[in-house]
Amino acid sequence: MSKILIMGACGQIGVELTLALRKIHGNDNVFASDLRDNHPMLADGPYVQLDATDAVATRAIVEKEGITDIYLLAALLSATGEKNPKLCWDLNMSSLRQILDLGVDKNLKIFWPSSIAVFGPTTPRDNTPQATVIEPSTMYGITKYAGEMLCQYYNAKFGLDVRSVRYPGLISWKSEPGGGTTDYAVEIFYEAIKNKKYTCFLSENTYLPMMYMDDAIRATIELMQAPTENVKNRMSYNLSAISFSPKEIANEIKKHIPELEISYAPDHRQGIADSWPASIDDSVARSDWGWKPEFDLPKMTEVMLVNLKVKLGL
Ligand code: NAD
Ligand code: SER
């Protein structure tokens, strides 16, 4: 039986991943943890306040609860990371390093996400291959690339079962995003519903790889459930679903909210976005463990608007 610890559970991915894993394994077998107070949506299962860089406290919980699997989601993302690169390195690397060491010691199965941010300005921008030039230009991307190399090393050297995907920008309505460059693609839905107006911090033709959260959660669970021999890549798998620009998503939302007005005021996040791919080739994930996305832009837009309107009481 799996006993799962999720670290960084109150964030954009953590809330939905915790809920999905509790459906599969039962509420009592999935421990949520975060620096913050518990998220209201996670009240039906165990929660512990835990700093992901605190190796002693983490070990104590793993031993006390008999944890078998850890999903490490605590991190500083791209935009916040550029504002505080030292904290970005310290948090992202020391949390991963301590979980990898604990994983070896306790024979744990680990999930740790990487990102499209590993790629940089020298990477081919369209249909970016799994193995390609990787020279990230943000501290966040540097931590993700270093993290991928560490995961591969711990698997090769110690046989640790650590698995990873390079998530694209994620779009969701249950929990809000926490400081990324792709956050505009969530903000635009809130502003379209509330104010029928949105000023985007990226320029209108900035294409980025994106994915609806349901696809991301399913990919995570499918990768973790895949037979070991199918997980041939121990750095991190490219993962892809949709690629669109701010203008294209605005036009899709306008099919439902024709009054939406969009303007553009690119800020420091434009440089980050310009260094990332526009679209991703995920054929290796598809052939190794059968990955296939379900949400395209129209389907995601419809689901986001329906659910956010209910959530916002509008
Ligand atoms: P988020 O910022 O929404 O959530 C991160 C959570 O970690 C927050 O709840 C925060 O309180 C918590 N946290 C911060 N410092 C902590 C610490 N020291 N100890 C414990 N918890 C701490 O981030 P997210 O979007 O849910 O991302 C989760 C992971 O997925 C990250 O590794 C991120 O790099 C990766 N990722 C996310 C996206 C995306 O679009 N959301 C895309 C690519 C990769
Ligand atoms: N969505 C994330 C970000 O923008 C990508 O890792 O930082």
Side-chain angles (χ1 to χ4, degrees), residues 211-259:
M211 180 177 281
Y212 184 55
M213 186 62 84
D214 284 20
D215 272 341
I217 299 298
R218 191 169 50 77
T220 307
I221 292 171
E222 286 177 5
L223 173 64
M224 287 299 270
Q225 289 176 340
T228 310
E229 62 274 17
N230 291 13
V231 186
K232 294 175 193 130
N233 182 308
R234 293 296 178 156
M235 282 183 67
S236 189
Y237 280 98
N238 276 8
L239 202 61
S240 173
I242 327 170
S243 167
F244 57 77
S245 63
K247 189 174 168 184
E248 280 184 1
I249 192 172
N251 285 340
E252 192 61 40
I253 296 172
K254 277 186 201 173
K255 290 181 186 165
H256 305 262
I257 306 175
E259 318 88 287

Side-chain angles (χ1 to χ4, degrees), residues 32-238:
S33 74
D34 203 290
L35 262 192
R36 323 186 206 178
D37 289 339
N38 197 9
H39 192 282
M41 284 189 178
L42 302 183
D44 287 343
Y47 176 79
V48 59
Q49 208 150 20
L50 176 66
D51 181 345
T53 64
D54 186 338
V56 174
T58 308
R59 176 179 288 269
I61 286 164
V62 165
E63 287 176 351
K64 178 167 169 255
E65 304 299 343
I67 297 296
T68 58
D69 301 8
I70 293 185
Y71 292 71
L72 173 59
L73 304 176
L76 229 56
L77 277 74
S78 59
T80 324
E82 282 313 284
K83 287 197 174 142
N84 196 341
K86 186 178 178 307
L87 178 62
C88 182
W89 175 266
D90 289 346
L91 169 60
N92 295 8
M93 296 318 299
S94 63
S95 57
L96 176 60
R97 185 71 200 276
Q98 73 110 343
I99 292 306
L100 294 176
D101 284 334
L102 187 60
V104 172
D105 215 28
K106 296 282 170 191
N107 196 23
L108 306 174
K109 190 169 178 179
I110 311 287
F111 176 80
W112 170 83
S114 184
S115 160
I116 52 164
V118 287
F119 301 118
T122 51
T123 301
R125 247 180 93 63
D126 295 315
N127 216 20
T128 302
Q130 174 71 45
T132 183
V133 179
I134 297 189
E135 295 178 327
S137 55
T138 61
M139 180 55 87
Y140 175 64
I142 291 167
T143 67
K144 290 300 184 190
Y145 191 36
E148 289 188 7
M149 300 296 292
L150 266 186
C151 290
Q152 179 173 255
Y153 178 82
Y154 272 69
N155 175 261
K157 177 104 178 160
F158 306 112
L160 180 68
D161 191 355
V162 52
R163 304 178 181 203
S164 178
V165 291
R166 293 170 177 154
Y167 288 130
L170 299 181
I171 297 156
S172 65
W173 59 271
K174 286 187 188 148
S175 180
E176 288 173 33
T181 301
T182 56
D183 293 8
Y184 90 83
V186 177
E187 283 176 13
I188 191 171
F189 283 100
Y190 281 85
E191 293 308 312
I193 292 171
K194 287 195 289 194
N195 302 317
K196 317 237 175 315
K197 237 191 234 182
Y198 180 60
T199 302
C200 184
F201 58 75
L202 298 182
S203 62
E204 61 182 333
N205 291 320
T206 307
Y207 280 83
L208 286 170
M210 300 279 189
M211 180 177 281
Y212 184 55
M213 186 62 84
D214 284 20
D215 272 341
I217 299 298
R218 191 169 50 77
T220 307
I221 292 171
E222 286 177 5
L223 173 64
M224 287 299 270
Q225 289 176 340
T228 310
E229 62 274 17
N230 291 13
V231 186
K232 294 175 193 130
N233 182 308
R234 293 296 178 156
M235 282 183 67
S236 189
Y237 280 98
N238 276 8

